[in-house]
Amino acid sequence: MFDLESARRQMIEQQIRAWEVLNPGVLDVFEQVPREEFVPERYRELAFADMQVPLGHGQRMLAPKLEGRILQALGIRAGDRVLEVGTGSGFFAACLSRLASKVHSLEIFPDLAEAAGERLLRLGYANVEVETADAMGFTGDSAFDAIALTGSLPVYDARFEQGLAIGGRLFAVVGTGPVMEARLITRTAAAAWFSETLFETEMAPLIHAARPPRFEF
């Protein structure tokens, strides 16, 4: 019989901690949020695997270790208002909600948005609001304390940093495969941002995100 708690503990110890995620609050999130409830039924036994679980529409859940690195990098505080771009199953929104005051999550596919919203409500994550929307329509007119992009930007798009409050942090993966840069962008003043490269990774691009121009001979 599949031992959920043993699998969860192995995920935390062998994947998340092993990838230098050591923040106690972040590790607690992975203890508390039932990842198995967010995975499609046919993949239930892969809920804690070091892989990206398929969700449909070509979308996948991020690997647990990458989710841990994102949460640690953003340094979310109890009063923070957070924007997530790419709801998917709703698992990462649930993780964010354990650390933040309010989470607004955008999902381009209506069926994924509806299912995630219902799942989050059923499991008690009442501080998450899921909206069906194309992130490329984001205008940056809200002041978020943290923004997490769960799809990459082949070309950096400054619209998201415009949505940060002063002191707010944006996590974005930028570039094209096989190696991309994970960046943390902090808004330091009304018209000033500081960007730092955190690590290298790979992530599927956001749908409708701009692509670099093709080189032609």
Side-chain angles (χ1 to χ4, degrees):
M1 184 175 179
F2 184 54
D3 185 343
L4 282 173
E5 294 314 312
S6 176
R8 193 187 327 278
R9 172 50 51 189
Q10 288 182 3
M11 173 190 73
I12 293 168
E13 295 298 327
Q14 298 177 14
Q15 298 175 45
I16 299 172
R17 278 184 177 273
W19 222 37
E20 300 179 0
V21 178
L22 304 175
N23 181 292
V26 171
L27 295 173
D28 283 348
V29 163
F30 287 94
E31 288 272 14
Q32 297 161 0
V33 180
R35 186 176 177 88
E36 67 277 8
E37 295 290 339
F38 292 87
V39 174
E41 183 64 33
R42 64 186 180 278
Y43 297 120
R44 181 63 61 94
E45 293 193 5
L46 298 175
F48 307 105
D50 184 12
M51 62 176 292
Q52 300 181 45
V53 177
L55 298 173
H57 301 287
Q59 304 302 293
R60 296 174 179 270
M61 294 177 70
L62 297 179
K65 63 187 181 185
L66 180 53
E67 291 169 325
R69 287 292 290 267
I70 298 171
L71 290 175
Q72 182 166 267
L74 285 172
I76 297 167
R77 298 177 286 267
D80 282 354
R81 183 166 173 258
V82 178
L83 174 67
E84 177 195 31
V85 174
T87 313
S89 71
F91 174 75
F92 195 62
C95 292
L96 291 166
S97 79
R98 298 290 301 190
L99 300 169
S101 172
K102 179 71 176 178
V103 178
H104 188 86
S105 186
L106 305 181
E107 172 56 55
I108 195 169
F109 295 106
D111 58 331
L112 292 182
E114 181 179 3
E118 291 175 353
R119 189 177 298 116
L120 288 159
L121 189 60
R122 172 173 58 83
L123 294 172
Y125 299 97
N127 61 335
V128 180
E129 177 186 13
V130 179
E131 177 187 357
T132 302
D134 184 347
M136 293 302 107
F138 181 68
T139 58
D141 57 359
S142 296
F144 291 98
D145 300 295
I147 298 176
L149 306 185
T150 64
S152 65
L153 298 173
V155 177
Y156 184 70
D157 191 326
R159 78 180 70 210
F160 298 106
E161 67 182 35
Q162 296 288 338
L164 294 172
I166 294 174
R169 292 86 58 204
L170 163 67
F171 178 90
V173 173
V174 182
T176 56
V179 177
M180 307 175 187
E181 285 187 351
R183 299 181 190 173
L184 185 71
I185 296 94
T186 303
R187 189 167 199 165
T188 56
W193 293 262
F194 174 74
S195 177
E196 56 185 313
T197 298
L198 302 177
F199 54 90
E200 293 181 344
T201 189
E202 188 172 11
M203 182 184 287
L206 289 174
I207 293 174
H208 300 151
R211 287 351 190 228
R214 285 187 174 183
F215 180 80
E216 295 184 4
F217 292 96

